[in-house]
């Protein structure tokens, strides 16, 4: 296994070589636009859920059989900040279940939680006995118990599964459930991604979410807060679908920089094309799914994020554990010292923040965004970050990720790096109690 140092060197090895790429990409844009009209052909592509695994299955007695284990999970939000949550199969959110319209599925739930639970299949039209509502459609599955869900899938689209206990939902118990259509939708997509939005109230000096809280200080895509989210890597000229699912207490206006999309689906399945309208922001309400699609002709590293201002930052009140941060009272040297103390805990060098004026502390309201920057490129490095500029992660916080629309050469390089590092365990992976 390659060392962490070798891994970082390969992932971050581009340096300034691609810094001059915009001029080259600009020249290629027309060619990629032409290519985009013909690229969509071939089989349905699998859904990528960054930072979340796919649940395997076996063909048994005429059904695809899946095994879901409800259990406690330790999840890294960002380097230096972990949370103790509940999920499935060592993951929060749980692994994606990906199947086809017409499939017969059997999902065996094993409960390794300290209390009873059940699973609701959100949006699926199935027999009521399989609906997962405690005491109505089934008895709650006790600790150490099992329950078998089995049904035939007559729909197609983006759905999800979750505990039907309200506090268990807020502890993280949700996963994506994607059903591909029997007949491929048109236009066909070349990249298909899934993202689950969650929010957490994690108080200072604690790592267990306060599920009764009504305000939230950590916002995540697929269980990760930026900059620890894995980018969506796309070949320029491709057609792209992003499936967005929200299960929390807030609605999220999700905005994509540099591109225009249409909303093609909801938690009820594919929408008629007559309803598609161009946009770059979609409101994903609580318990809703939204599918967006676009053609990736505009090259660059584009932000995809919730546009609620407080959802674009990480909690700054407990990064120092027992030392509460008070940035509104800090001068620049004090801020640098404080942030470097945190950086030392994750083994990185804090970069100098963006400039402020010499008399900044005399201005009412200062600071706002000053001193909040925390670059941690090396601590979150993945193959998908290859070619990004130095200190790219400094202002990357909260419910954010990158949509990287790349020319062939850079796209293929990242695919190669992902292949070379496949199977290596990195610190961002979750831990769980179940063994085996």
């Amino acid at each position: 296994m390659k060392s962490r140092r070798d891994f970082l060197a390969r992932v971050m090895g581009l340096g300034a070589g691609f810094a001059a790429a915009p001029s080259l990409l600009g020249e290629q844009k027309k060619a990629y636009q032409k290519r985009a009209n013909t690229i969509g052909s071939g089989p349905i592509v699998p859904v990528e859920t960054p930072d979340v695994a796919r649940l395997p299955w076996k063909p048994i007695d005429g059904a695809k059989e899946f095994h879901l284990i409800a259990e406690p999970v330790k999840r890294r939000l960002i380097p230096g900040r972990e949370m103790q949550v509940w999920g499935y199969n060592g993951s929060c959110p749980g692994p994606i279940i990906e199947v086809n319209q017409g499939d017969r599925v059997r999902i065996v739930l094993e409960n390794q939680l300290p209390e009873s639970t059940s699973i609701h299949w959100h949006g699926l039209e199935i027999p009521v006995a399989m609906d997962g509502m405690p005491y109505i459609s089934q008895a709650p599955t006790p600790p150490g118990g099992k329950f078998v869900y089995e049904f035939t899938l007559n729909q197609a689209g983006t759905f999800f599964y979750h505990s039907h206990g309200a506090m268990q939902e807020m502890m993280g118990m949700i996963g994506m459930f994607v059903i591909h259509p029997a007949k491929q939708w048109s236009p066909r997509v070349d990249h298909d991604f899934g993202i689950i939005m969650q929010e957490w109230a994690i108080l200072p000096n604690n790592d267990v979410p306060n599920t009764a809280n009504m305000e939230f200080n950590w916002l995540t895509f697929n269980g990760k807060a930026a900059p620890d989210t894995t980018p969506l890597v796309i070949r320029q000229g491709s057609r792209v679908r992003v499936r967005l699912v929200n299960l929390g207490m807030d609605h999220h206006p999700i905005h994509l920089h540099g591109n225009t999309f249409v909303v093609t689906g909801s938690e009820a399945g594919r929408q008629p094309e007559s309803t598609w309208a161009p946009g770059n922001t979609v409101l994903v309400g609580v318990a809703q799914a939204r599918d967006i699609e676009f053609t990736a002709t505009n090259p660059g590293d584009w932000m995809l994020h919730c546009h609620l201002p407080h959802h674009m930052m990480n909690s700054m009140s407990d990064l120092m554990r027992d030392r509460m941060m008070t940035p509104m009272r800090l001068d620049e040297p004090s801020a640098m010292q404080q942030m470097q103390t945190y950086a030392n805990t994750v083994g990185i060098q804090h970069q100098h923040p963006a400039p402020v004026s010499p008399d900044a502390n005399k201005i009412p309201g200062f600071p706002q965004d000053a001193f909040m920057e925390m670059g941690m490129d090396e601590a979150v490095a993945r193959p998908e970050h290859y070619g990004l500029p130095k200190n790219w992660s400094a202002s990357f916080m909260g419910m954010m990720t990158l949509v990287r629309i790349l020319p062939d050469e850079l796209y293929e390089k990242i695919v190669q790096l992902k292949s070379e590092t496949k199977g290596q365990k990195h610190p961002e992976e979750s831990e769980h109690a179940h063994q085996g």
Side-chain angles (χ1 to χ4, degrees):
M1 182 178 290
K2 294 180 173 64
S3 68
R4 178 69 173 170
R5 180 177 297 176
D6 290 339
F7 173 77
L8 290 172
R10 294 183 67 80
V11 170
M12 305 177 70
L14 259 184
F18 276 89
S23 60
L24 171 64
L25 300 183
E27 295 169 3
Q28 293 180 341
K29 185 173 181 180
K30 289 184 179 179
Y32 282 112
Q33 287 174 326
K34 182 178 180 181
R35 172 186 172 186
N37 295 327
T38 59
I39 196 170
S41 60
I44 292 175
V45 297
V47 178
E48 295 181 54
T49 48
D51 305 306
V52 173
R54 179 176 289 104
L55 190 64
W57 57 272
K58 293 180 179 180
I60 299 177
D61 297 332
K64 291 181 177 179
E65 185 168 298
F66 299 84
H67 285 254
L68 271 178
I69 302 168
E71 61 185 347
V73 175
K74 183 167 71 173
R75 186 67 155 163
R76 188 179 89 168
L77 286 161
I78 62 171
R81 193 64 169 103
E82 294 178 336
M83 59 178 178
Q84 302 282 350
V85 292
W86 292 359
Y88 300 94
N89 296 60
S91 179
C92 177
I96 180 175
I97 296 176
E98 190 172 7
V99 287
N100 299 314
Q101 189 176 22
D103 282 347
R104 181 83 176 169
V105 297
R106 182 182 305 114
I107 300 128
V108 181
L109 169 66
E110 179 181 341
N111 184 12
Q112 293 194 4
L113 296 172
E115 63 186 39
S116 297
T117 191
S118 67
I119 299 181
H120 172 62
W121 311 95
H122 196 103
L124 296 187
E125 298 172 357
I126 54 179
V128 68
M130 299 289 101
D131 189 55
M133 182 61 193
Y135 301 109
I136 294 180
S137 61
Q138 69 167 92
T141 304
K146 292 185 178 181
F147 189 90
V148 178
Y149 299 89
E150 186 166 342
F151 41 83
T152 299
L153 302 168
N154 299 310
Q155 301 158 270
T158 303
F159 308 95
F160 47 105
Y161 63 92
H162 61 84
S163 165
H164 217 285
M167 298 296 96
Q168 291 182 7
E169 291 179 21
M170 297 304 295
M171 275 293 283
M173 300 191 70
I174 179 177
M176 191 169 284
F177 196 116
V178 170
I179 308 174
H180 292 292
K183 181 180 180 181
Q184 187 168 230
W185 290 324
S186 180
R188 174 191 178 273
V189 297
D190 307 288
H191 298 277
D192 199 338
F193 298 96
I195 295 175
I196 290 178
M197 291 166 275
Q198 293 168 286
E199 50 200 1
W200 315 90
I202 304 179
L203 303 181
N205 300 317
N206 208 325
D207 58 5
V208 179
N210 182 341
T211 57
N213 214 49
M214 296 296 289
E215 296 183 357
F216 307 93
N217 55 352
W218 288 94
L219 294 303
T220 58
F221 278 167
N222 284 351
K224 310 289 284 183
D228 213 9
T229 49
T230 297
L232 282 54
V233 178
I234 295 162
R235 188 192 297 272
Q236 188 179 356
S238 301
R239 183 157 178 97
V240 182
R241 177 185 299 122
V242 182
R243 305 169 187 262
L244 302 163
V245 168
N246 177 21
L247 190 66
M249 291 289 290
D250 290 313
H251 307 313
H252 298 293
I254 302 301
H255 175 59
L256 175 61
H257 291 204
N259 294 269
T260 299
F261 57 70
V262 292
V263 178
T264 61
S266 73
E267 72 283 354
R270 188 76 165 178
Q271 295 182 345
E273 191 169 347
S274 59
T275 67
W276 300 0
N280 50 55
T281 304
V282 58
L283 183 65
V284 187
V286 174
Q288 290 185 338
R290 292 292 181 267
D291 297 346
I292 62 172
E293 296 182 21
F294 63 99
T295 302
T297 56
N298 192 14
D301 298 315
W302 304 106
M303 293 279 293
L304 178 70
H305 65 98
C306 178
H307 223 298
L308 290 176
H310 285 188
H311 295 187
M312 298 164 60
M313 61 181 72
N314 292 328
S315 173
M316 301 298 288
S317 65
D318 59 343
L319 291 179
M320 301 303 296
R321 305 296 291 178
D322 59 340
R323 293 172 53 195
M324 188 71 73
M325 294 187 69
T326 53
M328 72 292 297
R329 297 172 182 263
L330 294 175
D331 55 25
E332 189 169 347
S334 299
M336 282 293 293
Q337 181 180 11
Q338 190 174 47
M339 295 305 283
Q340 185 56 53
T341 301
Y342 165 64
N344 290 341
T345 67
V346 293
I348 58 176
Q349 177 64 42
H350 180 50
Q351 302 294 317
H352 199 282
V356 299
S357 64
D359 61 347
N361 282 301
K362 298 179 180 179
I363 307 302
F366 177 85
Q368 293 297 320
D369 291 314
F371 312 142
M372 288 182 64
E373 300 154 357
M374 173 53 75
M376 51 180 72
D377 298 8
E378 293 187 8
V380 300
R382 298 161 168 77
E384 291 86 350
H385 296 139
Y386 186 82
L388 289 173
K390 184 178 180 180
N391 207 35
W392 66 266
S393 58
S395 294
F396 220 60
M397 292 176 278
M399 199 174 271
M400 296 182 180
T401 193
L402 277 175
V403 173
R404 304 195 66 194
I405 300 175
L406 306 175
D408 288 348
E409 181 181 1
L410 183 50
Y411 177 82
E412 294 293 347
K413 179 63 177 179
I414 291 177
V415 170
Q416 177 189 346
L417 285 171
K418 288 174 65 177
S419 177
E420 292 174 353
T421 58
K422 188 176 182 180
Q424 295 186 19
K425 183 174 181 178
H426 302 300
E428 66 270 12
E429 296 183 15
S430 300
E431 297 180 11
H432 56 104
H434 175 69
Q435 301 295 324

